[in-house]
Amino acid sequence: MSISYADPAKGFINNVFRDKEPWQIVTITTTTVLAGVWLWNFIFQDESLVKRGRKEIFKLARYVPWIRERIDKELSNLNDLFEKEAIHRLKDITILSRLPKKGMSHDEVLDHVKKCVNLGDYDWTNGSVSGTVYRNDADLVKLMADVYGVASYTNPLHPDVFPGVCKMEAEVVRSSCHLFNGGPDTCGTMTSGGTESILLACKAYRDYAKEVKGITKPEILMPITAHSAFDKAAQYLNIKVCTVPINPHSCTVSIEAMKKAITRNTIMLVGSTPNFPYGTKDNIEAISELGVRYGIPVHVDACLGGFLICFMQDAGYTIPPFDFILPGVTSISADTHKYGYAPKGSSVILYREKKYRHYQFTVTTDWPGGIYGSPTVNGSRAGGIIAACWAAMMYFGHDGYVQATKKIIETTKYIEQELRKLDCIFIFGTPATSVIALGSNDFHIFRLSEALNARGWNLNALQFPSGIHICITYVHTEEGVADRFLNDVKDELMNIMKQPDEPVEGKMAMYGMSQSIPDRSVVTDFVRFYLDSMYYTPKNIETDDQSNIE
Ligand SMILES: *Cc1c(COP(=O)(O)O)cnc(C)c1O
Ligand SMILES: *[C@@H]1O[C@H](CO)[C@@H](O)[C@H](O)[C@H]1NC(C)=O
Ligand SMILES: *[C@@H]1O[C@H](CO)[C@@H](O)[C@H](O)[C@H]1NC(C)=O
């Protein structure tokens, strides 16, 4: 049978190559094989063919001179705009572009730092800002300053020199394990923030999957609402991200879709308690079951809500299980620098078992500088931050956190309930902890954001679909803040509904517009320029040792 099948093919090929010389045959064969391989890769790559086709077209379009000119011009305008904003933000202060020749005095330094901290158009001390500042209390700030002062030059990289700093880190980790119902084998490390906690979990699972299961093309399977820190980790660690859609009504991940998206390359499943955009909590019980059934580690991102949700039961709220109580949950990230009320720069990553944490560590054995083992991303680490985080946890104690949680959840529920009474806006899903996300079917929700902005409120903007959210912190539980917010919302809604079809204006207009740009690489360029502007200093600065720019 194979002969009768092969014969015509043989004849055909011989015919094609009849008049060719051997070098031609070799060249043609090689080229054909290479082209075949390229085509194969192109068709069976990760992204869908249509999506990549579109990307290719936009990429090519940017080579067309007049298109490139237009894009470059827009980008350059945008860059100027960002720089102007940077200048505006810094208008009341001296900008230094080099070291002062003679060192500043204690008072000069402190004076300058105070001025820097007070720059900006928002009053972050009285609840005008969503999230960001989780607690603002003079006694706490004083304690943090004292503790940081004492420990500021310590470094847990040297446990023999600073054993006490290591003890404090170990205690922060152990207490956190206890809060999330970890057993005796539960372990973890402190990190510099949620992003690092997430990055390290991804690294641990990537290396675990490679060594134990031989997975060389790792994939993270996560809800579309999972924090962008996972994308960042994937970019750094060369892992593919597969996103799972959410249920439209509840705004929590679709378990059915997650189950279908599992492949043999899946190294971890992710759920959030809650997620950043909508503040809704994924069904961790179901994700844990998937993890157990398919033998895949499950990471619970409790960065935002961790230090609220673990106290909610004691604060009198019933919540479904989400932590190490569930057998499939293998790691949890929780930010002490959010509702743990520690100063910025601390978070914990916890694992069910040491075997996962081992893959988080990096060890180099052959360096002339010595055998080097390091638990997290940083080599040297800030002992002062560890001490401050420890101090915050000990200062509040279990009861302090429960009381704070109670106040925050009460305030959130009050605001949620009042907002639900208003026509023409809706709330995305059911807020699980302290984030309330708003949308509208009657007008562009960014108009509300602009209007509230003009009244001093700084909220977060959401996209796909457009929305805004407010993250309630302890600062918002102060007398009068919630009602001031609700009244401002009501007033502005009345204004807006007089002309519901007006377009968005101001800064939010650009944000709204950017969602409709199909070529996301242009949006990426926007953001790069924005990031540049954070590091802006004027170019033509005089060369005196302390040049002043007003
Ligand atoms: C804040 C946050 C993170 C990341 O934390 P950083 O501390 O900003 O690095 C991760 N996940 C969620 C849900 C968050 O809100
Ligand atoms: C908070 O600060 C803003 C800006 O300074 C001010 O407009 C607002 O009235 C303050 N609110 C409260 C409750 O103090
Ligand atoms: C780790 O390094 C980063 C970047 O240098 C720094 O911002 C952070 O504070 C460091 N974290 C710790 C815990 O030292």
Side-chain angles (χ1 to χ4, degrees):
M1 201 172 88
S2 63
I3 294 171
S4 65
Y5 184 73
D7 263 359
K10 196 161 101 186
F12 170 75
I13 291 172
N14 282 343
N15 213 22
V16 168
F17 287 102
R18 198 174 44 209
D19 298 325
K20 303 278 190 284
E21 293 187 26
W23 72 267
Q24 288 176 305
I25 298 179
V26 171
T27 312
I28 293 169
T29 316
T30 324
T31 317
T32 316
V33 169
L34 287 179
V37 169
W38 181 85
L39 198 66
W40 174 274
N41 278 337
F42 185 78
I43 295 174
F44 294 103
Q45 244 183 27
D46 306 342
E47 275 177 289
S48 83
L49 207 57
V50 179
K51 215 165 141 191
R52 268 178 304 131
R54 255 171 50 153
K55 260 194 197 166
E56 276 314 299
I57 290 171
F58 285 118
K59 215 162 92 187
L60 291 177
R62 293 184 78 172
Y63 288 107
V64 178
W66 67 268
I67 295 185
R68 200 175 61 202
E69 268 167 36
R70 272 208 54 186
I71 293 183
D72 286 349
K73 192 155 162 275
E74 287 301 320
L75 285 175
S76 147
N77 287 344
L78 206 64
N79 193 38
D80 293 347
L81 181 79
F82 288 148
E83 288 197 352
K84 263 197 209 120
E85 280 184 0
I87 293 171
H88 172 76
R89 285 198 298 264
L90 303 176
K91 64 179 184 311
D92 300 325
I93 202 163
T94 316
I95 298 176
L96 310 171
S97 66
R98 56 178 60 198
L99 291 179
K101 183 141 187 336
K102 255 181 68 200
M104 295 182 183
S105 71
H106 177 281
D107 289 346
E108 277 176 305
V109 169
L110 203 59
D111 193 49
H112 193 87
V113 171
K114 278 185 183 159
K115 274 193 191 142
C116 287
V117 170
N118 288 328
L119 284 180
D121 294 334
Y122 300 100
D123 187 343
W124 50 267
T125 60
N126 78 356
S128 298
V129 175
S130 162
T132 318
V133 180
Y134 291 79
R135 191 129 187 167
N136 180 42
D137 137 5
D139 290 344
L140 180 64
V141 172
K142 172 87 174 64
L143 176 66
M144 292 300 113
D146 289 349
V147 170
Y148 190 87
V150 171
S152 50
Y153 284 89
T154 63
N155 179 354
L157 184 64
H158 310 287
D160 44 351
V161 186
F162 302 112
V165 174
C166 291
K167 166 195 174 281
M168 282 188 277
E169 177 175 8
E171 287 174 353
V172 167
V173 170
R174 180 56 47 212
S175 310
S176 305
C177 288
H178 176 75
L179 288 173
F180 293 104
N181 289 306
D185 296 333
T186 321
C187 59
T189 63
M190 277 185 73
T191 67
S192 60
T195 300
E196 190 184 345
S197 292
I198 288 168
L199 177 91
L200 288 173
C202 295
K203 182 216 180 277
Y205 292 138
R206 183 196 66 174
D207 292 356
Y208 172 78
K210 184 162 180 207
E211 194 154 308
V212 177
K213 301 183 189 166
I215 295 176
T216 52
K217 291 188 166 179
E219 297 174 6
I220 298 170
L221 190 53
M222 67 181 205
I224 188 91
T225 47
H227 196 269
S228 70
F230 290 96
D231 287 291
K232 191 185 224 177
Q235 286 180 24
Y236 281 9
L237 298 169
N238 203 12
I239 306 176
K240 181 181 158 191
V241 171
C242 302
T243 51
V244 181
I246 52 175
N247 297 309
H249 188 68
S250 66
C251 294
T252 61
V253 70
S254 159
I255 299 299
E256 204 45 44
M258 182 173 262
K259 187 174 147 194
K260 282 206 190 109
I262 291 174
T263 73
R264 77 177 78 146
N265 289 327
T266 308
I267 57 159
M268 66 195 288
L269 306 176
V270 176
S272 315
T273 62
N275 58 54
F276 175 83
Y278 307 123
T280 54
K281 177 176 161 299
D282 292 317
N283 184 347
I284 306 295
E285 284 167 288
I287 299 175
S288 159
E289 263 170 41
L290 288 180
V292 171
R293 165 125 59 107
Y294 295 97
I296 302 170
V298 173
H299 179 82
V300 173
D301 180 13
C303 280
L304 181 57
F307 283 89
L308 281 178
I309 200 166
C310 70
F311 298 110
M312 272 176 75
Q313 195 132 21
D314 289 337
Y317 299 96
T318 41
I319 40 151
F322 66 93
D323 57 17
F324 290 120
I325 284 265
L326 299 170
V329 172
T330 50
S331 58
I332 298 177
S333 51
D335 285 358
T336 40
H337 71 194
K338 289 180 180 161
Y339 293 99
Y341 313 121
K344 283 285 179 257
S346 71
S347 168
V348 291
I349 171 70
L350 309 174
Y351 297 97
R352 175 177 286 277
E353 292 170 73
K354 285 210 182 72
K355 70 172 180 187
Y356 298 118
R357 186 172 67 175
H358 279 171
Y359 289 96
Q360 173 186 308
F361 297 157
T362 34
V363 180
T364 49
T365 53
D366 302 334
W367 182 39
I371 295 176
Y372 191 96
S374 158
T376 62
V377 173
N378 289 34
S380 290
R381 292 191 295 145
I385 295 287
I386 292 172
C389 176
W390 182 90
M393 290 173 80
M394 300 305 141
Y395 176 71
F396 287 107
H398 195 268
D399 291 350
Y401 283 115
V402 170
Q403 181 259 347
T405 302
K406 207 170 184 163
K407 281 181 90 168
I408 291 169
I409 303 295
E410 262 168 19
T411 306
T412 311
K413 287 198 185 295
Y414 170 66
I415 294 178
E416 178 192 349
Q417 166 205 318
E418 293 300 308
L419 289 174
R420 281 196 194 279
K421 292 180 188 161
L422 305 176
D423 296 330
C424 63
I425 51 170
F426 63 84
I427 292 178
F428 288 94
T430 306
T433 57
S434 57
V435 173
I436 307 173
L438 299 174
S440 173
N441 295 320
D442 299 313
F443 64 96
H444 200 301
I445 192 72
F446 286 174
R447 285 180 64 204
L448 181 60
S449 179
E450 271 296 318
L452 290 173
N453 205 46
R455 290 183 175 229
W457 296 99
N458 180 310
L459 307 182
N460 301 83
L462 313 173
Q463 58 173 355
F464 307 122
S466 296
I468 53 177
H469 90 204
I470 179 163
C471 175
I472 308 298
T473 71
Y474 197 80
V475 186
H476 298 100
T477 66
E478 302 291 343
E479 186 73 33
V481 178
D483 283 318
R484 182 166 66 94
F485 177 70
L486 289 166
N487 288 335
D488 285 355
V489 170
K490 282 177 206 160
D491 283 356
E492 291 304 336
L493 277 182
M494 257 187 350
N495 281 336
I496 290 169
M497 286 317 284
K498 284 179 197 153
Q499 281 165 319
D501 297 327
E502 292 263 292
V504 191
E505 275 168 13
K507 247 189 290 179
M508 296 306 288
M510 192 172 72
Y511 211 97
M513 185 270 297
S514 73
Q515 290 178 66
S516 63
I517 299 179
D519 182 2
R520 304 311 283 174
S521 74
V522 173
V523 181
T524 305
D525 282 341
F526 287 1
V527 180
R528 287 184 176 140
F529 282 116
Y530 178 74
L531 293 176
D532 279 342
S533 78
M534 286 173 38
Y535 296 90
Y536 172 80
T537 51
K539 274 187 208 89
N540 308 316
I541 211 157
E542 307 102 75
T543 47
D544 300 349
D545 49 3
Q546 276 186 43
S547 7
N548 292 3
I549 295 285
E550 295 299 344

